[in-house]
Each structure stands twice: as structure tokens, then as C-alpha cells.
């Protein structure tokens, strides 16, 4: 009698721990997972991995996500230590998963796993690494064509292994009351790295001459900075002008896009690849603003124009990210195999 071979059930693991560990850099992980769950049965936003219950979520025990995805909870932190590399490789090998979708900073990509891996890149904590793996089973997601070009030219990643998706806002902006601006406010400088910290010192003096009657506030984003929707909305409620100074590669610009959505006059660095590509001719680019120096009323109009342009591009659609990732998952391969899951640590 021939021996029966066990066929493994295809299963996608999405690692959402960066939403807990990386602060503002990890916003994408939480949002993508929540949108994919919300996209269940919603046309282009619907993913077969979710529909067939072939998705397991790797998370910290304290994290809360939408829906009832199967979970594997761990307090193990993402790091660059050899001990962590061993842990992640062991997990991928023994968790009965066939694909792994993770969110990682460009300077924390090890280890390279043996199963097909999709990595959504977020800004580095320390700086760009000298080398990253070019294994053929590794795909990358970036927020701009400039970021894709960086991977190709600096790290020799093949173009067909790089996928550029359109950034967006978090879904909450569609389901809360319209932001009510207070009568008083300040100019909010949002800085994310050492380069923007240096830049803000000189910029504060220039902005003070343009808007002499507005106080200034500097918000330095670190991995411990709270940027939950309620916290961010409260800041924007008292913000007359938001100046988003990040210029790091792989920055998705979520907070700046939400500021524009709420009609807060918002300026951004010309070096921010994703925002510059979304609003390529916008006077909201910092260089153009400093040349034209519009008054507050004109700046508000420019922000409204930018919002209309982003709306036309689908940036604010509530399932924007889910639609793009569902399409990418289909491109990389839909699940096939038995419907009955095997036993394993993620069941």
C-alpha cells in the first residue's frame, strides 16, 4: 500500500510587531493588517489569504488588531542580534507558514528566510546599511519610485523584486467627526531624524519672520512617541501650520497626509520622496514656500488644492492600502492546497 504524503496548507504570516515596537515608523503595519481585515469581501480590497482563513498574525501580546485572525503572540523584540536571527528563522521553519510578510527598517533586515518573504520597508533608525540580501525569494515594498531606484542602484536589487505602492492615511480619518480647529494655535515642526533636527533650528527663525504672531512647537518623533489617532488629532486641532521635515528614504508620510486631509496647512521637505511624487508641483514643498512666502489665507487655499489632488489619486480611500496589498498578494501567488490546516504552533 503506497504511503500517503501530507500536503501542507499554504499559510501567510503577517508580522505586525513593528506597530508596537517602532512607534511612528511602524504605523504601516497596524494599518495594513486592519485594512486587510476590513476588506473581507470588499471587491478589490479582498484578499484570498484572508477569505480562506489562511493568514496568521505574529504580534506582541498587548497588541489589538481588527478582526479575529489566528495569532502567534510573542514578547520577542525585532533586533539585529544573532539570537533574534535564530529565533525568527526557527519560527519561520516550524510555524507551518509558506509566506512571510514583515515590516522592517532598511537597517534591520536580517535574517534572510528560506520561505518567500515580502518586506515592507520603513525608515532606518540609525542609517542606511552597507549591504542587504539579494536572495531570489525576497520581495520589497516601497512608497516611491525614488526609493525603488535606491534599492536598485545602491543595493543591486532586481527591479522585478521591488513593488512601489501609493501611501495613504489611516482609516480612522473616515470614521470620526470632522476636526474642529481651535481659535488659537501654533506652528508644529515634525522632525524624525538628526538631519531634520539640524534643519529645524535655522528654519524656525525664517518661519518666525513670515508668521511673527504664531508660537512654535517642535515634535520629535521617536519610537516611543505616541501617534495614536486621538493623540495626533488633538495636536492638529491646535495646529495652524504643520511642517513635516522628514527626508528619510522609505518614509510613507502618513502623518503629513492626515494633516492635509484635516485641512491643516502642511509643508514638507523637497527631499521627501513619497510626498514629492504625490504632489510633484505643489507649492507646499518647502523650497517653494520659502520663495513665495504666502500668507496664511493663501496657504490654506494651497492645502485645499493639495487635498483635492490627493483625493483624485485615491490617497484617502478607506481601503487604499488593502486594495494595493491584496493585488500584490495575488501577483505573488494565491494560496492553493487543502482547506484543513495542519497542526502547528499557529493554529
Amino acid at each position: 500500500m503506497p504511503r500517503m504524503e501530507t500536503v501542507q496548507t499554504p499559510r501567510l504570516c503577517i508580522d505586525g510587531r513593528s506597530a508596537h515596537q517602532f512607534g511612528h515608523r511602524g504605523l504601516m503595519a497596524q494599518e495594513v493588517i486592519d485594512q486587510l481585515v476590513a476588506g473581507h469581501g470588499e471587491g478589490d480590497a479582498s484578499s484570498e489569504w484572508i477569505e480562506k482563513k489562511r493568514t496568521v498574525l505574529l504580534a506582541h501580546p498587548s497588541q489589538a488588531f481588527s478582526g479575529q485572525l489566528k495569532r502567534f503572540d510573542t514578547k520577542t523584540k525585532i533586533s539585529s542580534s544573532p539570537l533574534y536571527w535564530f529565533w525568527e528563522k526557527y519560527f519561520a521553519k516550524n510555524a507551518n507558514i509558506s509566506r512571510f510578510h514583515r515590516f522592517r527598517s532598511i537597517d534591520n533586515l536580517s535574517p534572510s528566510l528560506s520561505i518567500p518573504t515580502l518586506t515592507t520597508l520603513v525608515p532606518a533608525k540609525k542609517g542606511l546599511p552597507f549591504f542587504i540580501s539579494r536572495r531570489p525569494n525576497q520581495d520589497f515594498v516601497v512608497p516611491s519610485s525614488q526609493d525603488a531606484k535606491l534599492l536598485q542602484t545602491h543595493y543591486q536589487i532586481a527591479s522585478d523584486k521591488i513593488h512601489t505602492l501609493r501611501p495613504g492615511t489611516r482609516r480612522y480619518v473616515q470614521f470620526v467627526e470632522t476636526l474642529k480647529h481651535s481659535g488659537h494655535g501654533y506652528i508644529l515642526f515634525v522632525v524624525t531624524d538628526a538631519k531634520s533636527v539640524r534643519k529645524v533650528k535655522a528654519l524656525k527663525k525664517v518661519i518666525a519672520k513670515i508668521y511673527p504672531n504664531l508660537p512654535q512647537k517642535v515634535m520629535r518623533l521617536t519610537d516611543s512617541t505616541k501617534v495614536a489617532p486621538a493623540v495626533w488629532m488633538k495636536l492638529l486641532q491646535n495646529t495652524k501650520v504643520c511642517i513635516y521635515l522628514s527626508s528619510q528614504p522609505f518614509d510613507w508620510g502618513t502623518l503629513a497626509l492626515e494633516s492635509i486631509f484635516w485641512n491643516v496647512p502642511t509643508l514638507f521637505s523637497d527631499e521627501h520622496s513619497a510626498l514629492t511624487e504625490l504632489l510633484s508641483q505643489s507649492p507646499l514643498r518647502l523650497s517653494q514656500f520659502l520663495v513665495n512666502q504666502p500668507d496664511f489665507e493663501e496657504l490654506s487655499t494651497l492645502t485645499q488644492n493639495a487635498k483635492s489632488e490627493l483625493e483624485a489619486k485615491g490617497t484617502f480611500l478607506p481601503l487604499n492600502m488593502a486594495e494595493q496589498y491584496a493585488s500584490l498578494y495575488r501577483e505573488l501567488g494565491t494560496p492553493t492546497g487543502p482547506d484543513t490546516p495542519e497542526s502547528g504552533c499557529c493554529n
Side-chain angles (χ1 to χ4, degrees):
M1 184 174 181
R3 185 170 63 91
M4 298 293 291
E5 292 187 4
T6 301
V7 181
Q8 180 177 347
T9 301
R11 189 174 299 167
L12 167 71
C13 178
I14 307 179
D15 187 352
R17 289 173 298 161
S18 63
H20 176 267
Q21 187 176 332
F22 292 172
H24 73 285
R25 296 184 298 129
L27 286 178
M28 279 290 297
Q30 177 84 38
E31 188 60 24
V32 168
I33 293 168
D34 287 346
Q35 284 195 27
L36 284 169
V37 172
H40 188 291
E42 294 293 329
D44 292 340
S46 181
S47 169
E48 193 172 352
W49 291 100
I50 302 290
E51 301 292 334
K52 289 191 171 184
K53 298 182 179 180
R54 301 283 182 83
T55 303
V56 62
L57 183 62
L58 181 59
H60 187 277
S62 66
Q63 288 183 270
F65 293 90
S66 300
Q68 299 296 320
L69 292 178
K70 293 178 181 291
R71 288 178 62 138
F72 179 82
D73 287 341
T74 178
K75 293 183 179 180
T76 303
K77 291 185 177 182
I78 302 164
S79 76
S80 57
S81 72
L83 186 61
Y84 175 75
W85 299 357
F86 176 80
W87 182 90
E88 187 169 293
K89 285 187 175 183
Y90 180 85
F91 169 80
K93 182 179 179 180
N94 293 278
N96 286 334
I97 58 176
S98 51
R99 290 184 179 274
F100 193 40
H101 180 188
R102 59 185 187 171
F103 298 78
R104 295 287 188 273
S105 60
I106 183 67
D107 57 345
N108 195 5
L109 293 182
S110 294
S112 298
L113 303 177
S114 59
I115 61 174
T117 303
L118 178 66
T119 303
T120 297
L121 293 175
V122 301
K125 185 170 185 177
K126 297 180 180 179
L128 294 177
F130 177 75
F131 168 84
I132 62 176
S133 172
R134 298 193 298 270
R135 293 182 66 168
N137 64 331
Q138 310 290 313
D139 284 79
F140 300 91
V141 176
V142 298
S144 75
S145 59
Q146 190 63 34
D147 291 322
K149 184 178 180 181
L150 174 63
L151 289 183
Q152 292 179 58
T153 59
H154 196 72
Y155 297 109
Q156 291 76 52
I157 304 297
S159 60
D160 63 338
K161 309 304 290 183
I162 307 169
H163 312 273
T164 304
L165 302 191
R166 180 181 64 249
T169 56
R170 289 173 283 182
R171 287 179 70 241
Y172 83 93
V173 301
Q174 304 287 346
F175 303 104
V176 294
E177 293 184 11
T178 301
L179 188 69
K180 296 179 181 179
H181 297 278
S182 64
H184 304 282
Y186 42 71
I187 295 175
L188 178 65
F189 294 89
V190 180
V191 298
T192 60
D193 59 335
K195 184 177 180 180
S196 56
V197 169
R198 294 191 296 268
K199 185 182 297 184
V200 75
K201 294 180 180 180
L203 191 56
K204 286 175 68 176
K205 297 178 181 178
V206 177
I207 298 298
K209 294 179 180 178
I210 301 174
Y211 303 125
N213 298 321
L214 286 177
Q216 299 179 350
K217 180 183 180 71
V218 176
M219 178 185 184
R220 173 130 190 218
L221 295 179
T222 67
D223 286 355
S224 62
T225 304
K226 303 300 181 184
V227 286
V231 176
W232 183 233
M233 285 184 68
K234 186 174 181 179
L235 274 170
L236 292 182
Q237 185 178 0
N238 300 302
T239 299
K240 291 293 187 182
V241 181
C242 177
I243 304 178
Y244 190 75
L245 288 179
S246 173
S247 58
Q248 291 178 281
F250 314 109
D251 189 317
W252 291 76
T254 305
L255 298 179
L257 292 172
E258 291 180 355
S259 180
I260 293 173
F261 178 87
W262 290 118
N263 301 311
V264 176
T266 304
L267 307 174
F268 57 89
S269 170
D270 293 64
E271 297 172 285
H272 193 290
S273 299
L275 295 175
T276 300
E277 289 181 16
L278 281 172
L279 298 167
S280 59
Q281 303 300 319
S282 177
L284 297 179
R285 290 176 297 156
L286 197 53
S287 64
Q288 294 300 304
F289 168 81
L290 294 175
V291 170
N292 300 325
Q293 299 191 7
D295 59 28
F296 183 73
E297 183 177 353
E298 183 180 356
L299 187 57
S300 297
T301 300
L302 295 174
T303 301
Q304 289 284 351
N305 294 340
K307 181 179 179 180
S308 297
E309 184 177 347
L310 292 170
E311 285 177 334
K313 293 179 177 179
T315 304
F316 301 136
L317 291 175
L319 295 176
N320 169 36
M321 300 310 302
E323 289 182 0
Q324 295 182 88
Y325 273 101
S327 176
L328 179 55
Y329 288 163
R330 288 191 289 271
E331 177 185 336
L332 296 177
T334 54
T336 58
D339 292 328
T340 303
E342 292 183 341
S343 61
C345 70
C346 298
N347 289 311

